Amino acid sequence: MATVEQLNELHRLHQALHEIEEALTRGPRQVRARDQLVKNLEKDIEDKKNLIKETRALADRKGLDLKTKEVHLQDLTAKLNQATSNREYDILNGQIEADTVAKSVLEDEIIEQLDKVDRLRTEVAEAEKLKQQRNTDRDAFAAKFEKESVGLRERSTGLSKHIGQAESFLSGDKALRYRRLVESYGGHDSMASIEENACSHCRVTITSQHRMQLRLGEILFCSSCGRLLYAPLSKG
């Protein structure tokens, strides 16, 4: 036998303990999530730095091609000045025009690559700043949680002790059945109140006789979901 107050209090203690346990597991998850944000930024920064090297190398190669093209143009210009026929002059002039266009394209491509390098360097600088901010945020959160976790663990220990005391009205087969529920679902989900004449967990309606038995303090389990049932405290 148990009073309605005892059953309500037992479930309240279980729910309070569950909230603390959730807080103790949520904290490290949030630290890991913040750490992952930092790692993602570090990878992004490394990728951008590698791209800067590749882009700079491409610009350098195009710079060499440009120098080669300029030397070739000088050579063609010299030959043009020494041309002895109109046909030779036209051929050389056509080659000069083509190389001049190619030279202009190379110059544009080099400028494009150098602009890309500048843009990437700006992005890296911004990402480095953001990484520092996220590092600071992660460390501050981890320190805050570590400090708070001391109190949470103390409260967890205290609640576990109170729960052990609050379970004293359970005995025999009913105590064993209750214990299996706690092991399977956790204390917070091992019990269910009666709401609108139904189990608050599975919504299966209970009989008027069972409602009366609960009010009298009898230990009953839901015929559907198996939860330990209890009547809510009267309001007012």
Side-chain angles (χ1 to χ4, degrees):
M1 299 288 287
T3 66
V4 172
E5 289 77 9
Q6 284 176 312
L7 287 162
N8 275 268
E9 177 64 6
L10 178 59
H11 199 197
R12 186 194 70 77
L13 290 170
H14 273 307
Q15 290 172 325
L17 179 60
H18 176 66
E19 289 178 5
I20 290 174
E21 290 172 340
E22 281 287 291
L24 285 169
T25 57
R26 185 169 56 249
R29 286 200 305 268
Q30 291 176 324
V31 172
R32 289 194 295 272
R34 284 167 167 77
D35 191 51
Q36 188 60 50
L37 288 175
V38 173
K39 290 179 179 178
N40 291 343
L41 265 178
E42 288 175 341
K43 184 180 183 305
D44 183 53
I45 289 169
E46 186 63 26
D47 289 345
K48 280 185 168 62
K49 285 182 177 179
N50 288 333
L51 186 55
I52 287 172
K53 292 178 182 178
E54 294 171 4
T55 305
R56 183 72 217 193
L58 178 59
D60 289 343
R61 289 196 297 272
K62 289 184 178 294
L64 291 174
D65 292 341
L66 179 61
K67 289 180 180 179
T68 300
K69 187 67 65 178
E70 288 172 342
V71 170
H72 189 237
L73 271 170
Q74 291 173 358
D75 183 54
L76 288 174
T77 301
K79 290 180 178 179
L80 182 67
N81 293 332
Q82 299 173 4
T84 57
S85 67
N86 289 336
R87 184 172 180 279
E88 182 183 7
Y89 182 90
D90 289 341
I91 291 173
L92 289 168
N93 195 51
Q95 291 177 342
I96 289 172
E97 289 178 356
D99 277 13
T100 299
V101 171
K103 175 176 173 289
S104 178
V105 170
L106 276 172
E107 289 170 342
D108 289 342
E109 289 176 346
I110 291 170
I111 291 173
E112 181 182 351
Q113 296 305 310
L114 293 177
D115 286 344
K116 184 177 180 181
V117 168
D118 289 340
R119 185 175 68 253
L120 286 168
R121 284 175 175 164
T122 299
E123 291 175 3
V124 167
E126 292 172 350
E128 290 281 10
K129 183 178 180 180
L130 181 58
K131 186 185 80 169
Q132 183 59 44
Q133 293 173 347
R134 288 183 175 174
N135 266 322
T136 301
D137 173 66
R138 178 201 59 200
D139 293 344
F141 182 87
K144 180 174 178 289
F145 171 74
E146 186 61 30
K147 183 178 180 180
E148 292 176 347
S149 66
V150 175
L152 288 172
R153 292 188 181 95
E154 289 177 353
R155 289 170 58 194
S156 175
T157 299
L159 282 169
S160 295
K161 182 179 179 180
H162 289 316
I163 287 171
Q165 295 169 346
E167 294 171 339
S168 60
F169 61 82
L170 291 163
S171 62
D173 291 341
K174 291 182 178 180
L176 291 174
R177 186 172 179 181
Y178 159 80
R179 183 54 54 195
R180 287 196 294 270
L181 284 169
V182 172
E183 291 173 354
S184 298
Y185 306 114
H188 70 291
D189 197 28
S190 64
M191 301 175 66
S193 64
I194 299 304
E195 297 175 0
E196 298 179 352
N197 299 324
C199 169
S200 61
H201 181 82
C202 65
R203 306 310 305 168
V204 168
T205 302
I206 66 170
T207 65
S208 57
Q209 180 183 350
H210 284 162
R211 292 200 301 274
M212 180 60 68
Q213 287 175 300
L214 288 172
R215 284 295 177 188
L216 293 174
E218 290 192 35
I219 306 301
L220 296 179
F221 295 87
C222 180
S223 60
S224 176
C225 66
R227 265 60 176 185
L228 174 61
L229 297 173
Y230 65 93
L233 293 171
S234 299
K235 297 180 179 179

